[in-house]
Amino acid sequence: MKLLTGKVALVTGSTSGIGLGMAEALADQGADIVLNGFGDPATIAQVEKSIHARGAKTFYHGADMSKPSEIAALIKDAESAMGRIDVLVNNAGIQHVSPVEDFPIDKWDAVIAINLSSAFHTIRAALPGMKARGYGRIINIASAHGLVASVQKIAYVAAKHGLVGLTKVVALETAQTPITCNAICPGWVLTPLVQKQVDARAQSHNLSQDEAKRQLLLEKQPSGEFVTPAQLAGLAVFLCSPAADQVRGVAWNMDGGWVAQ
Ligand code: NAD
């Protein structure tokens, strides 16, 4: 019997990057997977194939995580298709980089909606089922930017700090239940979200891809190495295990030393 046999995990934003790594690792532990996120049909079929290859069932829902009504439908449809949601990984997220005085209002609204408010909406809707069944693991993918700030990322830093605060409130409200809520705070991970920032640096400073990556890393991440989705997923699997029953309300950084400075 694997750790999550018979359980169902919903990972928002699981068509790419960290969310896909989480979905694969939870499937490896025996969970069936509710997938969500954007992508063309071929990409989504490929993601489903990779989860099926691990012996897990999938249910894909294309809810836009900036829209509360679509999030409500995601939870309702997932519970009726798969019977339950035991593990909820709030991972969907976007970035926008700009100084505060030029920061577009629509980008502020989108970053806050997708990176912060979506977790409120999913937790609000999924918690009653977890309570009724007596098991739940809620894992919010925050960021090193949930613990410290950087310039030009006002919406992202505000959203991720907010997500760490939200995590603590949910952890306190569920403290005497078998449901835990924690945040994972990654440093730089080389996903499409970060590749855009590498490309912008390479272009604006006329650098090679390798040099742009090296500079981006060394500015913040003392290890000089990217964190991987598989490493983050290993921490998520631990948080789902009985050893983590009393890990509640933490914001656990995995960041090559970023916030130790
Ligand atoms: P990514 O761009 O590879 O993946 C983002 C996922 O979210 C995709 O599946 C995308 O389709 C989905 N998504 C985006 N907007 C959505 C919406 N409105 N509705 C539904 N799905 C939506 O990015 P990633 O780097 O894997 O990021 C995943 C999470 O990890 C984000 O919350 C991000 O802030 C966080 N994070 C990333 C890094 C990093 O270095 N990559 C570091 C710290 C935290």
Side-chain angles (χ1 to χ4, degrees):
M1 215 43 186
K2 294 179 182 171
L3 174 66
L4 296 173
T5 298
K7 303 259 191 287
V8 173
L10 161 60
V11 185
T12 69
S14 42
T15 52
S16 168
I18 295 169
L20 176 55
M22 294 276 161
E24 290 176 340
L26 295 169
D28 283 339
Q29 294 298 323
D32 291 326
I33 307 291
V34 180
L35 295 161
N36 158 261
F38 297 147
D40 56 35
T43 304
I44 291 159
Q46 186 56 42
V47 169
E48 290 201 282
K49 204 172 145 197
S50 133
I51 302 297
H52 295 159
R54 295 169 151 81
K57 283 191 236 146
T58 57
F59 173 71
Y60 169 77
H61 197 291
D64 178 339
M65 299 306 289
S66 70
K67 302 207 165 92
S69 61
E70 295 191 22
I71 299 172
L74 162 66
I75 302 297
K76 190 163 165 280
D77 295 352
E79 284 182 336
S80 72
M82 304 292 263
R84 51 202 295 137
I85 296 170
D86 303 292
V87 178
L88 168 61
V89 183
N90 288 305
N91 167 79
I94 58 167
Q95 175 64 284
H96 184 80
V97 181
S98 165
V100 59
E101 66 271 31
D102 300 328
F103 209 95
I105 291 169
D106 63 330
K107 295 291 185 199
W108 167 272
D109 288 343
V111 171
I112 297 294
I114 297 164
N115 296 28
L116 173 58
S117 302
S118 71
F120 161 73
H121 294 295
T122 56
I123 292 168
R124 188 175 176 277
L127 202 47
M130 290 179 176
K131 284 186 175 165
R133 288 184 297 272
Y135 175 89
R137 290 289 187 265
I138 300 169
I139 300 171
N140 297 322
I141 307 304
S143 169
H145 283 120
L147 303 170
V148 293
S150 294
V151 294
Q152 302 201 349
K153 294 187 174 173
I154 188 149
Y156 191 83
V157 169
K160 295 301 190 181
H161 274 69
L163 190 57
V164 168
L166 175 152
T167 299
K168 292 177 185 173
V169 173
V170 176
L172 291 177
E173 292 188 9
T174 54
Q176 295 186 357
T177 75
I179 298 155
T180 69
C181 180
N182 293 290
I184 294 178
C185 298
W188 291 121
V189 186
L190 191 57
T191 65
L193 182 143
V194 164
Q195 185 62 48
K196 276 190 211 155
Q197 296 171 65
V198 172
D199 293 343
R201 181 179 289 252
Q203 203 185 7
S204 67
H205 296 77
N206 197 23
L207 301 172
S208 68
Q209 280 282 319
D210 281 352
E211 183 55 20
K213 282 178 196 159
R214 200 184 70 82
Q215 288 188 11
L216 186 98
L217 279 169
L218 284 179
E219 215 169 76
K220 298 285 182 185
Q221 201 147 297
S223 69
E225 290 180 11
F226 287 103
V227 181
T228 67
Q231 290 165 344
L232 294 163
L235 178 52
V237 167
F238 166 71
L239 290 173
C240 292
S241 74
D245 278 356
Q246 294 309 323
V247 180
R248 293 172 184 267
V250 306
W252 194 320
N253 47 308
M254 185 184 279
D255 61 2
W258 182 325
V259 310
Q261 297 167 97

